[in-house]
């Protein structure tokens, strides 16, 4: 879908993606464009550098929630605050998927993960972090939206949001931030269809979909 | 009004059998196969020819291996 959006905008040859550590490293296998690896959580810093050296290129980061919301919180917030002309694609599935389903800052209340086997307790483990609302408050951010991809209609909407984000980047409006709420059925220990139902029932009420800043 | 009939082509070697396409198909055209691919997954296949070419299956496929063709009559 991300690639479809780039193809629609005819940006395929001039786009550079930055994928840090996590399941996002598989992005290289799926996306036939220029990609750059970054250290865990540091994709916004690398993307900032790429964009400043080559301002005519389209630059995006493809990050998971353990990466963007936990390890790279500082980089994310400061890149957004500086209003760097990059696009964040933030894949939120509520856990650290690649390392074995550990709890991430975005894990929901009472949600079980391998490091919170009795469910997340808000008193001792804190509240789930709403990253998109957080960065929407920053002046450098031009567009912050939350989307999902578990139904065909939402897939279409999400593609529109990504196209809009890249267009704003081309117009040098500032940072664009697209959060995609998704599942991790192997980490959640569910079948794919069941995981999508769980996502609709539990994730969407806490992470409401739609544009938060436009 | 011209009738539209669709046909679905699935790259079965890349299918991992997640069944999401079957769940979103409005005409129940797809079903899991009894055979398996070379990796041992059963894959989605067309069982009816009532496909309308709505592309729902192709949109939700996590592996993006579904191609939908449409033909007008």
């Amino acid at each position: 879908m991300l690639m479809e959006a780039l193809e629609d905008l005819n940006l395929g040859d001039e786009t550079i993606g930055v994928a840090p550590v996590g399941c996002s490293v598989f992005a290289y296998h799926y996306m036939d464009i220029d990609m750059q690896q970054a250290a865990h959580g540091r994709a916004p810093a690398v993307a900032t550098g790429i964009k400043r050296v080559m301002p005519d290129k389209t630059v995006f980061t493809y990050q998971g929630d353990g990466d963007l919301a936990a390890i790279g919180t500082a980089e994310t917030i400061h890149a957004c605050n500086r209003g760097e002309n990059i696009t964040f694609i933030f894949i939120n599935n509520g856990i650290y998927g690649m390392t074995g389903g550990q709890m991430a800052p975005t894990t929901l209340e009472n949600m079980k993960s391998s490091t919170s086997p009795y469910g997340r307790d808000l008193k001792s483990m804190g509240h789930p972090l709403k990253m998109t609302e957080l960065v929407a408050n920053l002046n450098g951010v031009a567009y912050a939206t939350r989307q999902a991809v578990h139904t065909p209609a939402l897939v279409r909407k999400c593609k529109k949001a990504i196209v809009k984000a890249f267009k704003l980047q081309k117009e040098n409006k500032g940072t664009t931030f697209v959060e995609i709420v998704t599942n991790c059925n192997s980490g959640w220990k569910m079948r794919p269809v069941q995981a999508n139902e769980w996502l609709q029932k539990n994730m969407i009420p806490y992470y409401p979909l739609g544009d938060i800043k436009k | 009004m011209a009738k539209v009939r669709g046909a679905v082509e699935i790259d079965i070697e890349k299918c991992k059998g997640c069944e999401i396409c079957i769940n979103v198909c409005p005409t129940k055209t797809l079903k899991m196969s009894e055979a398996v691919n070379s990796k041992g997954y059963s894959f989605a296949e067309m069982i009816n020819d009532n496909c309308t070419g709505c592309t729902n299956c192709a949109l939700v496929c996590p592996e993006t291996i579904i191609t939908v063709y449409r033909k007008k009559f």
Side-chain angles (χ1 to χ4, degrees):
Chain A
M1 187 179 49
L2 181 58
M3 294 300 100
E4 275 177 27
L6 287 174
E7 200 177 301
D8 287 0
L9 294 169
N10 215 2
L11 292 174
D13 293 335
E14 54 159 287
T15 301
I16 301 170
V18 183
V21 179
C23 286
S24 49
V25 292
F26 294 129
Y28 310 130
H29 299 302
Y30 304 138
M31 302 181 189
D32 187 17
I33 56 167
D34 294 334
M35 297 288 283
Q36 168 66 47
Q37 169 76 44
H40 207 342
R42 275 57 176 165
V46 174
T48 300
I50 295 173
K51 186 72 182 180
R52 288 192 176 191
V53 173
M54 291 179 281
D56 52 331
K57 302 274 184 196
T58 308
V59 181
F60 72 89
T61 71
Y62 189 93
Q63 301 179 266
D65 51 343
D67 186 81
L68 185 144
I71 295 164
T73 323
E75 279 77 5
T76 307
I77 289 177
H78 284 290
C80 288
N81 194 36
R82 290 192 304 268
E84 299 292 345
N85 266 316
I86 54 176
T87 298
F88 287 82
I89 309 287
F90 169 36
I91 313 296
N92 179 3
N93 59 11
I95 53 163
Y96 281 84
M98 179 175 260
T99 48
Q102 288 86 353
M103 188 176 75
T106 45
T107 303
L108 297 176
E109 184 185 1
N110 297 326
M111 183 174 168
K112 285 179 186 170
S113 68
S114 56
T115 45
S116 60
Y118 305 109
R120 183 176 185 157
D121 170 34
L122 294 188
K123 271 193 181 149
S124 59
M125 300 168 195
H127 294 266
L129 189 56
K130 291 185 175 180
M131 208 61 206
T132 309
E133 277 88 343
L134 190 70
V135 299
N137 291 325
L138 302 171
N139 291 335
V141 176
Y143 180 52
T145 183
R146 184 182 286 118
Q147 304 290 334
V149 287
H150 58 283
T151 68
L154 290 171
V155 173
R156 289 197 174 93
K157 261 193 195 166
C158 182
K159 190 181 153 189
K160 273 187 197 157
I162 293 175
V163 167
K164 186 177 171 186
F166 282 129
K167 275 187 183 161
L168 288 170
Q169 182 183 152
K170 278 276 126 192
E171 293 163 14
N172 294 332
K173 296 278 188 199
T175 311
T176 45
F177 194 97
V178 182
E179 171 175 352
I180 301 171
V181 182
T182 178
N183 63 33
C184 175
N185 41 67
S186 51
W188 292 359
K189 315 271 185 284
M190 290 177 194
R191 292 190 66 79
V193 174
Q194 196 190 352
N196 276 350
E197 282 162 8
W198 194 91
L199 168 93
Q200 178 64 41
K201 211 174 132 201
N202 299 288
M203 294 277 278
I204 302 297
Y206 191 80
Y207 296 114
L209 305 179
D211 292 350
I212 291 144
K213 186 176 187 180
K214 52 183 172 181
Chain B
M1 206 176 95
K3 250 190 167 179
V4 177
R5 179 103 57 86
V8 176
E9 198 178 275
I10 298 165
D11 184 350
I12 58 167
E13 277 306 311
K14 287 186 184 159
C15 183
K16 58 189 178 188
C18 70
E19 301 182 18
I20 292 175
C21 54
I22 292 165
N23 205 37
V24 297
C25 180
T27 53
K28 308 279 172 231
T29 306
L30 300 168
K31 150 182 165 303
M32 290 314 284
S33 67
E34 282 175 20
V36 292
N37 64 17
S38 66
K39 288 187 179 145
Y41 295 115
S42 67
F43 47 86
E45 61 181 2
M46 262 182 97
I47 44 160
N48 298 321
D49 59 353
N50 58 354
C51 175
T52 58
C54 72
T55 71
N56 274 4
C57 52
L59 283 171
V60 295
C61 178
E63 300 290 318
T64 59
I65 52 169
I66 303 181
T67 314
V68 182
Y69 295 97
R70 279 187 201 144
K71 199 178 166 189
K72 270 186 188 165
F73 288 96

